[in-house]
Amino acid sequence: MIFEYSKWDATRAAFQQRLDELMKLFRWLLNRAAGDADTALDWLDHLAEKYGLWGDGIDRDEFEKQLRETGEVERDAAGSHSLTHKGERAMRSVALKDLFGELRKSGGPGEHRARHTGSGGEPEPFVKPYTFGDDLWSIAVTPTITNAVRRSFERGEDDMTIQEEDLMVHETQDNTQCATALLVDCSHSMVLYGEDRMSPARSVTMGLVEMIQTRFPRDRLHVIAFGDDAVEVPLAKVPYLSWGPYHTNTKAALEMARELLTRSRCPNRQVFMITDGKPTVLDEGGHRYIDAGWLNPRIINRTLDEAGQCRRKGISITTFMMTDDPVLTKFVEQLTEINQGRAYYTGTGKLGQFLMVDYLQNRKRNVR
């Protein structure tokens, strides 16, 4: 390793600090802009002009230059900026980092399941005496040697040897493969009444994609956006998830999820649904029924039928409600009872905490 020392450059240090702060703000705005780099840059410029954020040798032109040098953004011949694959990956990485940061601060919600130790899987920080059948790769070296030294000293032995009675092994958890369909409500209500629910939903989706791709590559994830229709979203395009002038076709989203998950051979199959509204759309018999009023019996019953079909296929549904609307709550209670799944009211602040903890717990199978 080679270290190079030079005279402290206060100007350069101020430049770098300012750039880091602006980059952090830009990435936050980029999520709110659904991956639209030009929109995020315009918002940043407006804030910088209003609050005096430009400085230390950085204006908009210099920031755009520095941004392009990271390789996360590129400019076309017309002068428009767009995310590169590296930029899309950076958005997902930041989202995952933020989610785990929230988990560390909160301690994680929903830590309620019993733990049983056993062989195989990922090592835990706890150790136990070795028993026949334990994997040798899980031997805890330091506790094992400590036991051997203590035993040799107590018996007055000149040479230290390791016996079977000295062996200690890490307790482990078996991780099972998991197939998940993440359903994201993209209806108009996700941005109504002055509350942006779409950005937290997008951020959580990006974080889940990044976690599965980097930490659990054998797991399967399908992202389904639903409004008037249900559409599977390529994982690379998740940063661009956005709302539209849509109603809520929950039945179509659950049906697509069931069809996709039924093809999977993963032992754990589950649906995570992020929504802020009751079902208001039904496609049946070549006709589309729309009712944005109270709970329409026809739309609700067909949607609940789909939840029942998921249950019969062994697919659990966990619903994350982003509003405590009584009408939505009544529907979700019915859906949860029929599917024997789970439901959480998370609002926008704790959506990531609940969803990530639930995912990590669901993919662990603890054995003796």
Side-chain angles (χ1 to χ4, degrees), residues 267-297:
N268 288 348
R269 294 178 295 179
Q270 61 186 358
V271 170
F272 283 175
M273 180 166 64
I274 301 172
T275 186
D276 75 336
K278 64 187 182 299
T280 57
V281 181
L282 173 67
D283 294 315
E284 188 175 57
H287 298 282
R288 168 162 289 181
Y289 302 90
I290 299 177
D291 187 349
W294 191 249
L295 295 175
N296 182 289

Side-chain angles (χ1 to χ4, degrees), residues 14-57:
F15 176 92
Q16 189 60 50
Q17 181 178 358
R18 176 83 61 166
L19 179 61
D20 291 343
E21 292 170 350
L22 289 169
M23 283 290 186
K24 184 176 180 180
L25 177 56
F26 171 75
R27 291 191 174 109
W28 186 87
L29 293 170
L30 194 59
N31 178 37
R32 269 61 190 173
D36 187 324
D38 278 332
T39 298
L41 283 168
D42 288 342
W43 289 350
L44 177 63
D45 189 41
H46 173 76
L47 292 172
E49 292 290 348
K50 184 174 181 179
Y51 296 104
L53 302 182
W54 297 134
D56 295 314

Side-chain angles (χ1 to χ4, degrees), residues 299-310:
I299 296 175
I300 296 299
N301 289 337
R302 295 296 185 273
T303 305
L304 295 177
D305 288 344
E306 190 59 51
Q309 289 196 52
C310 287

Side-chain angles (χ1 to χ4, degrees), residues 11 50 66 122 134 181 205 211 218 235 284 305 343 356:
T11 300
K50 184 174 181 179
Q66 294 291 329
E122 296 182 353
D134 286 337
T205 304
M211 183 178 71
R218 295 178 64 196
L235 299 186
E284 188 175 57
D305 288 344
M356 298 297 275

Side-chain angles (χ1 to χ4, degrees), residues 118-235:
S119 62
E122 296 182 353
E124 297 288 308
F126 312 106
V127 295
K128 67 182 184 70
Y130 169 84
T131 56
F132 180 78
D134 286 337
D135 291 321
L136 295 179
W137 64 263
S138 64
I139 289 177
V141 176
T142 300
T144 296
I145 294 177
T146 300
N147 286 346
V149 171
R150 182 184 297 114
R151 177 185 51 77
S152 298
F153 177 78
E154 290 174 349
R155 296 179 183 178
E157 299 174 350
D158 294 330
D159 298 325
M160 188 200 77
T161 58
I162 296 178
Q163 306 295 329
E164 182 176 338
E165 62 189 279
D166 302 321
L167 295 176
M168 300 292 289
V169 296
H170 287 285
E171 294 182 352
T172 57
Q173 287 187 325
D174 276 358
N175 285 329
T176 59
Q177 284 181 269
C178 189
T180 303
L182 177 59
L183 281 50
V184 183
D185 187 343
C186 293
S187 63
H188 192 203
S189 60
M190 291 289 279
V191 294
L192 280 181
Y193 314 118
E195 184 173 14
D196 178 9
R197 304 183 184 108
M198 192 70 237
S199 293
R202 183 190 308 112
S203 184
V204 167
T205 304
M206 289 191 294
L208 185 61
V209 169
E210 184 67 8
M211 183 178 71
I212 290 176
Q213 290 187 335
T214 58
R215 305 191 181 196
F216 308 117
R218 295 178 64 196
D219 285 6
R220 296 293 304 273
L221 175 64
H222 304 279
V223 175
I224 298 173
F226 66 102
D228 289 346
D229 303 287
V231 179
E232 184 175 9
V233 180
L235 299 186

